Amino acid sequence: QVQLVESGGGLVQAGGSLRLSCAASGRTFSSYAMGWIRQAPGKEREFVAAISGSGANTRYAGSVKGRFTISRDNAKNTVSLQMNSLKPEDTALYYCAASIRPIVTTTQYDYWGQGIQVTVSS
């Protein structure tokens, strides 16, 4: 099992940047693919970005490609999401998630954090 704790959310103006971080417990962090999923009010959860266990492979939703960057540090058991050029439509609860599969570009993850709020004002 792995436990996940997100940090770094908050309120930012449109065009600004935020960096989300996720700290994972456990000694086998590198065996998990990691991802970020978000859920806006009244909407279903939406895949945002994913990274393989080694960090060699990444995937992004079309809506964030070129603006968001996912990365991981297996020595520190952390995964991050750098979000630039933020838009009001990026406002959502952002979840860090882990999967035993190589890489996941859906919302079908095995372990989830509690989520952290990101609000982008216009």
Side-chain angles (χ1 to χ4, degrees), residues 18-91:
L18 275 177
R19 185 177 181 88
L20 302 183
S21 294
C22 174
S25 65
R27 296 176 293 174
T28 58
F29 179 67
S30 62
S31 66
Y32 292 96
M34 300 297 297
W36 290 93
I37 293 87
R38 67 186 181 187
Q39 186 168 22
K43 295 188 176 181
E44 294 190 351
R45 288 183 177 180
E46 173 191 24
F47 165 77
V48 175
I51 189 166
S52 61
S54 67
N57 296 306
T58 58
R59 300 287 189 274
Y60 297 94
S63 58
V64 307
K65 198 168 187 178
R67 300 189 296 123
F68 291 11
T69 301
I70 188 170
S71 60
R72 67 189 296 160
D73 185 335
N74 286 341
K76 296 182 179 179
N77 282 17
T78 59
V79 60
S80 298
L81 185 68
Q82 178 66 42
M83 304 185 294
N84 299 329
S85 302
L86 282 161
K87 304 175 181 180
E89 51 264 43
D90 294 317
T91 294

Side-chain angles (χ1 to χ4, degrees), residues 37 47 101 104-109:
I37 293 87
F47 165 77
R101 290 184 286 166
V104 179
T105 58
T106 66
T107 60
Q108 300 303 307
Y109 280 78

